[in-house]
Amino acid sequence: QPRFEYRGFTLDIARSPYSLETIREAIDMTSRAKLNVLHLRLSDDTGFVLKNPLVAGCNDCKADSLPQNPTKYDDHDLKQIVAEAYSKGVRVI
């Protein structure tokens, strides 16, 4: 049982999307540092990085002053990230 229930790391992929490999490296580093939560920030006023056919309008959201970011993650990508993190004792929120 960890001393603290939430020892986490935030990765802001809404504003600065990273490759899946970089996210996997972040999971490894989070686990090695004995942190148990990886907070993935998927949206903000500059964009929405999750491909979602149910919310199609959000797929093109961006602030007018910022360039469109082409990096998008789909359900399969997120399921892989969550499964890999879980196998290393890291919860994704």
Side-chain angles (χ1 to χ4, degrees), residues 22-68:
T22 301
I23 296 171
R24 286 186 182 99
E25 290 171 8
I27 292 168
D28 287 340
M29 289 186 287
T30 301
S31 177
R32 279 184 271 163
K34 298 186 179 180
L35 302 176
N36 61 356
V37 176
L38 175 62
H39 180 173
L40 289 180
R41 188 163 183 244
L42 298 174
S43 66
D44 68 5
D45 61 341
T46 63
F48 189 77
V49 296
L50 178 61
K51 289 181 192 172
N52 187 338
L54 299 176
V55 192
C58 283
N59 291 338
D60 298 320
C61 293
K62 69 176 178 75
D64 292 336
S65 62
L66 297 173
Q68 176 68 28

Side-chain angles (χ1 to χ4, degrees), residues 68-81:
Q68 176 68 28
N69 194 324
T71 304
K72 298 284 185 178
Y73 307 99
D74 60 22
D75 289 343
H76 179 72
D77 296 333
L78 292 180
K79 286 177 184 177
Q80 284 182 332
I81 290 167

